[in-house]
Amino acid sequence: MAVVGGNLELKDIFEKERFPKSNWQFLSLAVYFPFGLILALLRFFIGFHACLVGLVLTHTPFIRSIVLRMLCLVLGINVEQDNKHERDKSTRVIVSNCVTNFDYIAFHLTTDCVTHKKWNGAIPINLFPGLHDFSQEGNILENLKGHVERSDTPLLFQPEETTSGKHCLLKFSTTAAKISKRVQPVAVTVERPLWANTATTVLGTSAPYDLFWFLFSPYTVFKLRYLNVLHMEKDETEDAFTERIQSAIAGALGFRISNFNAADKAEYEKRYIEESRRYSQQPIVRPVPPELLRMSAQVSEVLPYVPTDVILRDLDRTRSVGMTISNILEGVVSYIPLSPQVQAQGRPNTSSTGSVRPSSDQPPKSQFPKSSQDRMSSFQERKAKMIAEARKRYIEKHGLTHLL
C-alpha cells in the first residue's frame, strides 16, 4: 500500500543534483565525459533523422515501429516490459507516473499510444513520435473523449502534469477519470549505468538540458510494469477513482503520495531558481590571513582615515607595512577617506554616505600647482607633513613621548 506523506516538504521531494555523489561514480563519469560529448553530438543528428522517418512512415505503422525501435536503440533508449502479457489492448486509456520529459517515447514504441501536449513551438508537433496537441481542435476534453471512442490508438495520461519526486508522487489530476471509466495504470522506472550515472531530470532544469543528458548517457532503460485494469465504480466520484489509480501506481513503485500538485512544484521551482541565481551572484569572500590583519592594524594606527579594505587590498600586493603607507601617502592608492564618526564606530569598510568631508586627521587638500617644479615641491612638503603628523600620533598613542 502507498503511504500518504502529510509531513513531506517540497524541498525534500525533488532531485537537485545532476551528478552522482559517490566518489568512484563521479570519477568514472569524468573519464567518460569527452566520449559522452562526441556521442551526444552524433546522436543529435541521428535523432533528427529518426523524427523525419517517423513522419514519413505515418501510414505504415508496422514498418515505422521497427525503424523507430532501431533508431532509438542507436540513441541509447531501451524499453523493457516486465509483464508484457498483462497489457490489456482493449483498454484505450493508460495512466502512469512521470519520470522524465520523454516517457511518451517509451510508451509509443511499445503500445503505439499518443499523449496530449499543448504545443506552441515553431517545429511541427507531428515531427515528434507519440505527441499530439488536442487543444488545437476545440474543447480538449471533448476531443480526448472522441479519440477514445473512435480510435484504436491508446491515450497516455500522466496526471502529475510534471515530473515526479525522487520517491514520491505528486497529486494526480482527474483528467483521466473524466475521459474514461476504464484505465490501465502503469508504473515507470528509469535506469542508467552506475559508471556513467546522471539524474534524468533535476529541479530548475528544462527539457533541452534533459535531452542532452539522454544523448550523453551510454544508454537509458525505461522499465514499464503494467498493473491491473481499474474500473470506476457506480457511485464512485472522479476524485476517488483518481486516488485509487494513484495508490495503485505508488504501491507498485514503493513511493509515498504527497498533497502537492504541479502548481505547487512550479511555484517552488521558481523560488529555487531565483535563490540559486541570487546565491551565484554573491561575491566569493576570501578569508584574510592573520598576518595581513596584523599589518593592516599597524597601517590603520598611522592612517586611521583610510578604509580597511583599501589597506588590505594594497597589503595583499606589497606584503609591506612601509610600502603600503608610502603608496597611500603618495596617492598611488585611491580611496574615500572615513569621517571621524565612522572611525570612532570601528572603521567599517566604506562610508555610509559615499562621500565624506575630510577631518583634521585627513590629508589636506590644496590647489594643484601649475609647474612641475612647484608640484614636486608641494608634494614633498605635504608628504613630510603627513608623515610627521602620523609619527606624532603613533608616539602619543604608545606613550613614547621621550622620542619627541
Side-chain angles (χ1 to χ4, degrees), residues 64-89:
R64 177 175 177 270
S65 176
I66 295 176
V67 172
L68 287 178
R69 277 176 171 273
M70 293 176 60
L71 288 174
C72 283
L73 285 175
V74 174
L75 295 176
I77 298 175
N78 189 21
V79 184
E80 295 181 2
Q81 302 178 81
D82 290 345
N83 52 348
K84 185 177 180 180
H85 60 279
E86 295 292 336
R87 165 69 181 125
D88 186 351
K89 295 183 180 181

Side-chain angles (χ1 to χ4, degrees), residues 40-50 215:
L41 183 62
L42 293 174
R43 283 175 169 175
F44 174 78
F45 292 104
I46 295 173
F48 179 74
H49 286 87
L215 301 178

Side-chain angles (χ1 to χ4, degrees), residues 229-391:
V229 175
L230 298 180
H231 302 262
M232 182 185 289
E233 302 295 339
K234 183 178 180 181
D235 297 326
E236 191 174 25
T237 64
E238 293 172 353
D239 289 333
F241 186 42
T242 300
E243 289 178 4
R244 209 151 50 90
I245 298 170
Q246 185 175 23
S247 296
I249 296 175
L253 294 170
F255 278 17
R256 303 173 72 182
I257 298 175
S258 76
N259 295 319
F260 301 109
N261 56 25
D264 297 324
K265 179 189 175 182
E267 183 62 29
Y268 174 70
E269 192 169 33
K270 188 186 303 181
R271 295 199 308 271
Y272 174 78
I273 294 173
E274 182 61 31
E275 290 173 4
S276 300
R277 185 181 297 114
R278 188 162 54 245
Y279 178 79
S280 65
Q281 291 174 350
Q282 290 180 353
I284 300 176
V285 180
R286 181 166 55 92
V288 181
E291 180 65 16
L292 278 187
L293 290 175
R294 183 186 63 79
M295 293 193 301
S296 171
Q298 293 178 351
V299 176
S300 295
E301 290 177 350
V302 179
L303 305 172
Y305 48 81
V306 182
T308 303
D309 60 335
V310 174
I311 296 172
L312 286 171
R313 192 159 49 244
D314 195 70
L315 281 173
D316 190 39
R317 184 175 59 86
T318 64
R319 299 286 171 169
S320 169
V321 173
M323 288 185 64
T324 294
I325 292 175
S326 179
N327 289 339
I328 294 172
L329 294 176
E330 293 177 4
V332 175
V333 178
S334 59
Y335 62 93
I336 299 177
L338 298 174
S339 66
Q341 293 84 1
V342 173
Q343 296 177 43
Q345 291 173 3
R347 299 177 43 77
N349 291 343
T350 57
S351 170
S352 60
T353 59
S355 60
V356 181
R357 187 175 61 185
S359 67
S360 59
D361 289 336
Q362 296 172 0
K365 292 184 178 179
S366 60
Q367 290 186 344
F368 192 72
K370 295 182 179 180
S371 66
S372 60
Q373 185 175 0
D374 290 341
R375 286 198 298 271
M376 190 62 188
S377 175
S378 175
F379 171 74
Q380 295 295 342
E381 291 175 3
R382 287 187 289 110
K383 180 179 177 182
K385 184 178 179 180
M386 292 172 67
I387 293 176
E389 290 178 353
R391 180 174 180 273

Side-chain angles (χ1 to χ4, degrees), residues 18-144:
R18 178 77 68 176
F19 303 111
K21 297 179 178 63
S22 169
N23 290 333
W24 77 265
Q25 285 182 313
F26 189 85
L27 181 61
S28 63
L29 182 63
V31 173
Y32 169 75
F33 197 85
F35 302 99
L37 287 178
I38 297 173
L39 191 61
L41 183 62
L42 293 174
R43 283 175 169 175
F44 174 78
F45 292 104
I46 295 173
F48 179 74
H49 286 87
C51 292
L52 291 178
V53 169
L55 185 62
V56 171
L57 298 178
T58 303
H59 301 292
T60 54
F62 180 74
I63 299 177
R64 177 175 177 270
S65 176
I66 295 176
V67 172
L68 287 178
R69 277 176 171 273
M70 293 176 60
L71 288 174
C72 283
L73 285 175
V74 174
L75 295 176
I77 298 175
N78 189 21
V79 184
E80 295 181 2
Q81 302 178 81
D82 290 345
N83 52 348
K84 185 177 180 180
H85 60 279
E86 295 292 336
R87 165 69 181 125
D88 186 351
K89 295 183 180 181
S90 64
T91 303
R92 294 288 177 264
V93 175
I94 300 172
V95 179
S96 80
N97 57 305
C98 184
V99 184
T100 76
N101 291 306
F102 311 102
D103 296 350
Y104 66 90
I105 297 177
F107 280 98
H108 183 72
L109 290 175
T110 53
T111 66
D112 200 34
C113 68
V114 296
T115 185
H116 166 65
K117 176 76 172 179
K118 188 172 177 58
W119 192 256
N120 296 317
I123 304 175
I125 193 171
N126 293 337
L127 198 60
F128 301 91
L131 289 184
H132 186 80
D133 187 358
F134 289 91
S135 64
Q136 295 179 352
E137 304 164 4
N139 184 276
I140 299 177
L141 284 178
E142 293 300 323
N143 291 334
L144 292 171

